[in-house]
Amino acid sequence: MITLNGIHASPGIVIGKAFLFDIGSYRVEKKEIASIQIEIEVYHFKEAVLKTKEEIKKIEEKVQKSMGVDIAKIFSAHLMVLEDPLLVLDVAQKIREEKVCAEYALECVLQNIANSFSAMDDEYLRERAVDVFDIGRRILHNIIGVVRMNVEDLTEEVILVAHELSPSDTAHMHDGKVIGFVTEIGGKTSHAAIMARALEIPAVVGLKDITFRLRNNDTIIIDGSHGVVIINPDKETLNEYSHRQDEYCAFKEGLTWLRDLPAQTEDGFRVLLSANIGKSEEIEVVKREGAEGIGLYRTEYLYLDREDLPSEEEQFNEYKAVLLNLYPCPVVIRTIDLGGDKFCTSIELPLEVNPFLGLRAIRLCLRHPDIFKVQLRAILRASIYGKAQMMFPLITEIAELQQAKSCLLAAKRELDEENIPFDRHIQIGVMIETPSAALIADRLASEVDFFSIGTNDLIQYTLAIDRINEEVAHLYKPFHPAVLRLIKMTIDAAHKEGKWIGMCGEMAGEPLYTVLLLGLGLDEFSMSGSSISKIKKIIRATRLDEAKAFANEIMQETSSNEIWDVLNKTMMERFGNILEI
Ligand code: PEP
Ligand code: MG
């Protein structure tokens, strides 16, 4: 049994079989094995070699048919290495003599073979060292049982274990086959973590080296509430966690009575509790949890994982369906936020050193006005089917907002000329997710109908902390005084202009901050569906005057440590059961 600690990304407990999905650049480690394990390990290795031979033979046949005998010869050379009896004998000997795992024994033997190739005079033979490592990697995959396939092709329930999950991998997790996941990289606001919360799948991220700590089909426990992963648990631990799993479900069940109650404080101050979605499939979860609208619809998911761009018609139908499904609740449709860590093949993106500081979101749309206009037209056309609101991501200055608005105006004019109806009063907002936008919020406020604070990015850009880098995840602090000041400034600026303001960053769904944000005057909280009942419970147990006094007290503090102490102490005392679960 091995217990590991990562970053808690999505709450809940799940026990299941590990499925090694993507091992990134796998590093082999020397793992010692018990004497009783030796022959099993040797057998395991021999099986992996046989499997690799079959794979290579198949590839050879295929290549021979499609590209001719000469090219296929490369694979004959691979087969020769595999059929060399010394390879199997040497690896088996190493496992037996040194009592080490098969992958480590293989790596050592292959290294020796490659070294002797590299030392040869003949250039052709020298280059065969590359083939040796290529074969090594194939055998290694078969030893640890990694299979690279698409998430949508999974046929049974698994816990995905991956180096990284791309947005398109996570976009296919709706069908229930992925019951939990662990990744080596990423932070709490990486897209994979956000998607896990949206789908209510327990997840732990930033767990370095997890892919080589286990093998396919190992039993693992994920405690997504506390960031714990246990590999091959003993019986006692299994029992303990299945008991905890029941407790967690009972806790969630115990909150369902809140579903139809309003999100209002004890003294009657009403806020809006909305949900964030990435794909229309998430709507059912969101409705079940009692969301009063969609505060962030991440439309870029429509553009991922495909060769072509979604047409105006396709987008129109998608937005219309979401609006109709949620009617009469509001739906904030965010125009595409591609770039950063969300890449799509149909728009040519430059290779950037710092994609999060590059051609992302509104910048990309303004660079490609034709693509932008297709989306604007689709949103406008759909707007008559419900309460649509539209917002632009990553605005950093007035000129950018004005440019975006003039694209919108052009789209409206076109629709008018074509006699196509749209909601003429559709509300327009901007996301406040850069320090520059927060600092000029007073100016931006007069240009729009609402703001939505995107704390995931606001924190990363304010504190210079890459939101998906697990190395600096401990420095990613929503409670940093600079972040809180920017949030307060933005809320005050919106209210001064008589505009409403929401928050759709992950901070809005974290119980630790609910009372503080209420006290700072937030009007709308938008979060993953799974957080709604917890946040509602806190709001309904709080008085607005008490929240304001608390926010005042917090804003007086000087350092993030002091703020953390006050926040944590007060919230744990009052809502420990919600924060802990
Ligand atoms: C944010 O930045 O807080 C946000 C909600 O947008 P995204 O996570 O999609 O960047
Ligand atoms: Mg953002």
Side-chain angles (χ1 to χ4, degrees):
M1 176 169 109
I2 308 174
T3 304
L4 303 164
N5 288 291
I7 300 167
H8 55 285
S10 178
I13 290 168
V14 69
I15 304 170
K17 293 278 170 217
F19 182 78
L20 268 173
F21 182 67
D22 161 32
I23 56 174
S25 48
Y26 188 91
R27 281 182 296 113
V28 172
E29 261 205 354
K30 184 175 180 179
K31 273 181 269 178
E32 304 208 338
I33 55 171
S35 307
I36 190 173
Q37 186 69 28
I38 290 177
E39 288 316 311
I40 302 173
E41 199 70 4
V42 171
Y43 174 77
H44 205 64
F45 166 68
K46 287 183 179 169
E47 284 279 283
V49 173
L50 283 178
K51 204 162 169 206
T52 309
K53 264 193 222 168
E54 279 161 28
E55 282 171 10
I56 293 185
K57 273 188 193 148
K58 274 193 197 140
I59 300 174
E60 189 188 20
E61 275 167 30
K62 223 165 143 186
V63 171
Q64 204 165 346
K65 273 188 203 141
S66 58
M67 301 167 86
V69 185
D70 278 352
I71 305 274
K73 271 189 191 146
I74 302 170
F75 297 98
S76 316
H78 283 200
L79 277 174
M80 267 164 61
V81 177
L82 271 173
E83 276 159 6
D84 184 343
L86 274 184
L87 173 76
V88 177
L89 288 178
D90 283 0
V91 174
Q93 190 182 358
K94 199 160 181 77
I95 295 173
R96 289 188 178 115
E97 281 176 5
E98 295 182 28
K99 292 189 188 171
V100 288
C101 63
E103 47 273 48
Y104 176 74
L106 171 72
E107 171 112 331
C108 297
V109 172
L110 285 177
Q111 188 67 57
N112 288 341
I113 301 178
N115 286 349
S116 40
F117 271 117
S118 307
M120 288 179 181
D121 290 337
D122 183 303
E123 195 185 333
Y124 175 79
L125 288 176
R126 247 194 343 258
E127 281 173 9
R128 301 290 54 82
V130 178
D131 295 344
V132 172
F133 284 116
D134 196 23
I135 297 161
R137 191 156 184 84
R138 278 181 185 280
I139 304 177
L140 179 67
H141 280 196
N142 284 324
I143 294 175
I144 56 181
V146 71
V147 190
R148 182 69 204 174
M149 62 189 288
N150 296 324
V151 172
E152 65 265 38
D153 297 333
L154 289 169
T155 52
E156 50 186 51
E157 287 189 350
V158 290
I159 295 178
L160 283 192
V161 179
H163 175 66
E164 185 180 12
L165 288 172
S166 72
S168 53
D169 294 329
T170 54
H172 288 292
M173 287 187 184
H174 301 93
D175 63 6
K177 292 290 183 285
V178 180
I179 55 171
F181 69 77
V182 196
T183 61
E184 292 187 328
I185 69 164
K188 273 181 94 170
T189 60
S190 54
H191 51 254
I194 291 172
M195 188 59 95
R197 287 192 288 275
L199 299 174
E200 305 192 321
I201 297 172
V204 173
V205 298
L207 194 48
K208 265 206 203 154
D209 302 338
I210 179 75
T211 57
F212 69 92
R213 299 286 189 119
L214 47 68
R215 289 181 180 170
N216 241 6
N217 284 323
D218 276 354
T219 299
I220 57 172
I221 299 175
I222 296 191
D223 176 353
S225 309
H226 302 97
V228 176
V229 172
I230 303 169
I231 303 168
N232 292 325
D234 56 30
K235 228 175 170 178
E236 203 182 315
T237 313
L238 261 179
N239 287 341
E240 182 195 328
Y241 273 88
S242 56
H243 178 65
R244 284 207 210 168
Q245 195 175 21
D246 293 343
E247 269 179 1
Y248 181 80
C249 293
F251 172 81
K252 287 283 296 170
E253 197 68 18
L255 293 177
T256 46
W257 63 276
L258 285 162
R259 195 191 165 286
D260 298 318
L261 294 177
Q264 71 182 29
T265 58
E266 273 182 347
D267 45 346
F269 178 72
R270 186 90 164 78
V271 292
L272 194 69
L273 280 197
S274 321
N276 298 345
I277 59 165
K279 296 198 104 185
S280 48
E281 289 93 323
E282 290 162 42
I283 291 180
E284 290 322 310
V285 175
V286 159
K287 283 172 83 172
R288 197 175 63 222
E289 297 288 343
E292 299 167 292
I294 300 294
L296 168 63
Y297 176 9
R298 290 184 165 98
T299 57
E300 56 275 7
Y301 278 92
L302 267 177
Y303 291 65
L304 302 179
D305 199 20
R306 58 191 291 167
E307 299 291 315
D308 57 342
L309 285 166
S311 67
E312 178 179 319
E313 212 51 31
E314 180 184 341
Q315 293 192 58
F316 162 70
N317 285 322
E318 182 79 11
Y319 306 147
K320 175 179 160 185
V322 172
L323 284 161
L324 284 173
N325 197 336
L326 279 146
Y327 187 80
C329 297
V331 176
V332 180
I333 305 177
R334 173 176 78 179
T335 59
I336 44 174
D337 180 2
L338 287 164
D341 62 343
K342 296 191 201 110
F343 304 107
C344 88
T345 40
S346 46
I347 306 178
E348 209 172 308
L349 294 170
L351 206 62
E352 297 173 306
V353 178
N354 288 315
F356 272 113
L357 301 179
L359 199 60
R360 180 189 168 191
I362 197 69
R363 302 170 185 181
L364 183 75
C365 289
L366 296 178
R367 173 71 65 88
H368 294 279
D370 293 349
I371 297 175
F372 192 29
K373 199 161 75 198
V374 171
Q375 181 174 42
L376 295 175
R377 282 177 58 105
I379 298 173
L380 286 170
R381 282 176 56 200
S383 64
I384 55 168
Y385 294 96
K387 199 168 168 205
Q389 296 165 340
M390 185 191 304
M391 70 179 173
F392 303 122
L394 210 74
I395 293 290
T396 56
E397 65 162 319
I398 291 279
E400 237 166 12
L401 172 60
Q402 284 166 344
Q403 256 180 292
K405 279 169 72 180
S406 55
C407 291
L408 182 63
L409 192 64
K412 285 181 176 173
R413 285 206 182 111
E414 270 186 20
L415 293 179
D416 267 338
E417 278 160 23
E418 294 163 33
N419 279 327
I420 299 176
F422 60 90
D423 176 5
R424 294 184 177 277
H425 305 292
I426 183 170
Q427 286 198 1
I428 305 301
V430 291
M431 288 192 72
I432 303 291
E433 46 185 353
T434 59
S436 56
L439 290 165
I440 57 162
D442 54 338
R443 304 294 160 88
L444 289 168
S446 57
E447 296 272 335
V448 292
D449 301 301
F450 68 95
F451 284 156
S452 185
I453 308 177
T455 48
N456 306 342
D457 280 313
L458 184 63
I459 297 167
Q460 104 162 324
Y461 294 129
T462 305
L463 304 181
I465 302 295
D466 182 347
R467 63 191 261 194
I468 56 173
N469 182 345
E470 68 286 354
E471 297 291 345
V472 285
H474 62 291
L475 300 172
Y476 189 92
K477 296 174 183 162
F479 51 89
H480 189 293
V483 174
L484 297 184
R485 281 186 190 196
L486 291 173
I487 292 174
K488 179 169 167 32
M489 276 178 67
T490 309
I491 295 176
D492 292 347
H495 287 165
K496 205 161 168 212
E497 279 290 326
K499 308 292 163 72
W500 68 269
I501 173 158
M503 177 180 285
C504 60
E506 295 302 302
M507 189 176 175
E510 288 205 32
L512 183 66
Y513 306 111
T514 311
V515 178
L516 167 64
L517 294 173
L518 255 182
L520 289 175
L522 200 66
D523 302 306
E524 182 231 25
F525 294 61
S526 190
M527 62 202 76
S528 56
S530 57
S531 302
I532 290 177
S533 48
K534 289 192 248 179
I535 302 298
K536 196 188 274 185
K537 189 155 200 276
I538 296 179
I539 291 172
R540 289 181 59 84
T542 306
R543 291 180 57 87
L544 184 63
D545 52 1
E546 131 194 283
K548 281 188 177 159
F550 183 53
N552 251 336
E553 183 190 345
I554 296 270
M555 296 309 285
Q556 305 303 320
E557 301 294 351
T558 311
S559 70
S560 48
N561 286 349
E562 286 164 2
I563 295 178
W564 169 259
D565 288 346
V566 178
L567 252 183
N568 198 43
K569 183 166 172 286
T570 313
M571 294 302 284
M572 281 302 283
E573 268 169 23
R574 295 208 46 202
F575 303 107
N577 59 335
I578 300 179
L579 265 67
E580 289 260 276
I581 199 87

